[in-house]
Amino acid sequence: MAGASAIGIQQRVILDTIRQTDQGEWKVLILDDGSRKLVDGVVREDDILELNVTHIERIEERRPANKEMDAVYLLSPLPHIVDCVMADLERQRYRRTYLIWTAGLPPIFVAGLSVKQHMDDLAQKIVSICVSLGEYPAIRYYNPQSSNHEARVLCSHLARFVQTQLDQHAKYNNGFPPPSPRSRGLLIITDRTLDLFAALLHEFTYQAMAHDLLPLIEGDKILYKASLDQAQSGKDQEISEKDDIWVKYRHLHMKDLLGRLVQDFNAFKAQNPQFADSEGPATINTIKDMLAGLPKFQEGKEAYSLHLTMTQDAMNVFQERKLADIASVEQSLATGLDEDYKRPKNLADQVIRLLDDEAIIFPDRLRLIIQYLLYRDGLLPTDVQKLLLHARLPSRDSEVIYNLEHLGAHTTRVLKDSRPGAQYQFGRRDAQPPLNNESGLSRFEPALKVVLEDLSRGTLDQNTFPFTKPHLDAADGLMGQDNVSQASLRSAKPTWARTRPSTTEPRQRIIVFMAGGATYSESRACYEISQSLNKDVYLATTHMLTPSLFLRQVGDLSVDRRRLDLPADRPKPRAPDHLFEKEMPPPPPLKSPHPPTDSMQRMQMTDGGVPSRPPGRKDPDYRQPIPPASSSSGRLTKDKDKDGEKKKKHHFFGSKR
């Protein structure tokens, strides 16, 4: 049974929410910059337009008023967005208004800025995930037992913020959580300090290698420049959840991927024989078949070409940077075992030999040194400097090493420190050689995978991962309130101990939130646990990490905050001024002049050459022309009789009166 998709659930929630506003009338959808990114990431625009939506507008942009149409606002709960909405409502820009917020409106809009704003915002996003899934989960959080670093209390504080907001949501929403036969879910809140090795190792599954080794363009979309053939220049192609090949193979090990891609591409060509090279003449029917299947074939061809190019490019980097040699040492450092699953020997010599290799690039050297320090649980400061000098790394890289102390790592020690080597709390147990033919370069398993396995067996230590409500949630394993699960609170066996529930039962949900960024190896671990234990595991995080991004962010911990340009320190966005401008009244309609034909009809010539008013018509605009005054000198006078006689002979327009 395939696991559920968080993106599919989010898509359904958005479309159902818009559909509930449908009163049989056409409407316009209003988004802001943040909600637009959310919608574009999970919903196709065509699916929205099918819900009686005429078009989509941005609230920050100039928009014409439409008082004959309804408007659905799907917005982010930000102060300047609230100002935009108030400006629209004040001007009654639309006939009816439906307001939908991507999260609850925080009290900041009423009570002003609070020192706990960031924690509130983070908790609100986690609660939004739970509400979207219809889960009122029990909450457990990471509580390191032997650490005294500054970040050790982060998870406990965040867990209590989330618990408070969940309780408030349930209090004011009687229908939450909705009735369901599935067992109560669980929310695990942890942070990056759980596993530092996972953020540094080279992972050789497709998704991890692509993000670590290839020059992906990562923004609102993930793009990679790949050429369809040698004759064409490369073009940016998107990698997303809509890409079936990416979704199917992203967690597959690279050693298996190339063969699978070639095999699938050959099957794809076999399913489209009309596009195969043929020596015979084309008939009308073959041409019609080709034209009918051309769009789908072209789309599939570009998709396979993209992924074949990406895998080949990644393997080229793998060979050029000698990652096989690096990974062999990394695996021993991270697991504490060599390829024969014995205690490794001469690791220091292996590290020094790699640092001397010209093919090893500087970022890989820094990663290798940090992992060696983590393996040794710190070295003398002079020895650390010797390693950096031997690797010819710049002095600023020492800041990255020493800043790891803020995350609970021990990078240095005093001369007579009796502290033992690194103590692997999760993931680095005395392992046995695998029965299957797994690669020796992928022996490491993230600590998160071990946590999830212990959780499913009901053996996860409650001191290291305590409950926010131990008196309720831990009474019978993880069974909770009666309205959440149909099972009895006095059940003799906790639901989490059933690692293999029936495939006909709704799958239990585990939501993992990783503060400080999650790695692609941890994403793979959640996927594998979901498949092997028949549970739906959702990984949420502040951002996805690559090793290069992790090292840069650790280095920034000692940089002057004013130089970092953090989003929290930037000027707060404001509602655009044009939303508050008064609309100009429409100009009065211009009086249309009389058509020329009307004047021609009124025109008549009298005997004296003066147009007269048509008989039987009273025209208020008509003015009798004033005849010219006669001159007393007689110089300008004419013979009236002679002139009149001439007019009688040549009068064409007038009639005799």
Side-chain angles (χ1 to χ4, degrees), residues 55-315:
H55 60 286
I56 301 173
E57 296 179 347
R58 286 276 301 278
I59 194 171
E60 301 97 338
E61 298 177 352
R62 289 185 180 272
R63 293 164 285 125
N66 194 339
K67 299 183 182 296
E68 296 182 355
M69 186 167 295
D70 297 346
V72 178
Y73 290 79
L74 180 57
L75 304 173
S76 307
L78 300 173
H80 72 287
I81 299 300
V82 174
D83 292 339
C84 294
V85 175
M86 297 304 294
D88 278 8
L89 296 179
E90 182 179 348
R91 283 158 179 74
Q92 297 181 351
R93 193 179 292 271
Y94 302 100
R95 181 176 59 182
R96 285 194 297 262
T97 299
Y98 300 91
L99 276 176
I100 304 168
W101 301 100
T102 58
L105 284 172
I108 180 177
F109 301 140
V110 180
L113 189 63
S114 169
V115 293
K116 58 183 181 63
Q117 175 188 350
H118 180 67
M119 200 71 75
D120 270 328
D121 292 344
L122 203 55
Q124 192 174 81
K125 293 176 181 179
I126 299 173
V127 170
S128 296
I129 297 173
C130 298
V131 173
S132 299
L133 295 173
E135 289 285 352
Y136 192 176
I139 301 176
R140 299 181 74 169
Y141 60 90
Y142 179 45
N143 181 36
Q145 298 297 295
S146 58
S147 299
N148 56 2
H149 59 281
E150 298 175 359
R152 68 186 184 279
V153 296
L154 170 64
C155 295
S156 64
H157 288 335
L158 181 57
R160 284 170 174 79
F161 273 86
V162 173
Q163 186 69 69
T164 299
Q165 292 196 21
L166 268 175
D167 293 342
Q168 289 179 347
H169 184 83
K171 178 179 179 180
Y172 295 108
N173 293 271
N174 295 329
F176 178 79
S180 173
R182 86 171 67 240
S183 300
R184 187 183 186 187
L186 184 71
L187 170 63
I188 299 292
I189 295 179
T190 183
D191 62 25
R192 187 67 268 150
T193 64
L194 176 72
D195 188 354
L196 296 179
F197 274 107
L200 296 166
L201 264 76
H202 288 88
E203 165 91 0
F204 297 124
T205 51
Y206 182 30
Q207 184 180 37
M209 284 189 73
H211 285 274
D212 187 12
L213 306 182
L214 299 182
L216 299 181
I217 304 172
E218 300 193 45
D220 294 338
K221 297 180 179 180
I222 300 176
L223 305 174
Y224 186 70
K225 186 180 292 294
S227 58
L228 298 180
D229 52 53
Q230 296 179 353
Q232 295 183 355
S233 60
K235 68 173 185 178
D236 292 338
Q237 293 183 256
E238 183 180 358
I239 304 170
S240 69
E241 297 294 324
K242 302 172 186 176
D243 186 337
D244 293 337
I245 300 175
W246 175 254
V247 172
K248 181 179 180 181
Y249 290 134
R250 60 185 166 188
H251 299 304
L252 192 66
H253 197 281
M254 189 61 77
K255 68 181 179 62
D256 303 319
L257 178 62
L258 276 172
R260 295 282 289 274
L261 279 178
V262 173
Q263 181 181 357
D264 285 1
F265 182 63
N266 291 332
F268 171 74
K269 289 195 300 183
Q271 293 171 0
N272 297 271
Q274 67 271 27
F275 296 101
D277 295 335
S278 175
E279 298 179 357
T283 64
I284 296 296
N285 290 332
T286 58
I287 293 176
K288 288 172 63 178
D289 292 341
M290 291 176 65
L291 293 176
L294 183 60
K296 188 173 183 180
F297 177 81
Q298 188 65 25
E299 180 181 347
K301 177 184 175 182
E302 291 184 0
Y304 278 107
S305 176
L306 168 65
H307 292 288
L308 287 169
T309 301
M310 287 178 59
T311 52
Q312 188 60 56
D313 291 349
M315 291 306 298

Side-chain angles (χ1 to χ4, degrees), residues 3-17 38 42-43 128-135 182 507 509 511 536-538:
S5 167
I7 292 179
I9 293 174
Q10 197 172 37
Q11 178 188 49
R12 187 181 69 246
V13 169
I14 292 174
L15 294 178
D16 288 348
T17 303
L38 172 65
V42 297
V43 183
S128 296
I129 297 173
C130 298
V131 173
S132 299
L133 295 173
E135 289 285 352
R182 86 171 67 240
R507 290 159 61 117
R509 289 169 173 158
I511 306 167
D536 290 334
V537 182
Y538 301 93

Side-chain angles (χ1 to χ4, degrees), residues 402-465:
Y402 297 135
N403 286 346
L404 287 169
E405 299 278 351
H406 298 298
L407 303 182
H410 297 147
T411 57
T412 60
R413 61 169 65 202
V414 297
L415 182 59
K416 295 184 179 180
D417 193 345
S418 59
R419 190 173 66 226
Q423 302 297 313
Y424 302 118
Q425 186 171 10
F426 297 103
R428 265 72 70 190
R429 300 170 177 170
D430 293 334
Q432 298 296 325
L435 298 178
N436 55 3
N437 188 23
E438 290 184 356
S439 172
L441 302 182
S442 300
R443 307 190 305 274
F444 169 81
E445 291 293 356
L448 181 60
K449 184 173 184 179
V450 180
V451 170
L452 293 175
E453 289 174 342
D454 288 350
L455 179 67
S456 65
R457 288 192 291 263
T459 59
L460 185 61
D461 182 22
Q462 292 194 27
N463 292 321
T464 307
F465 279 89

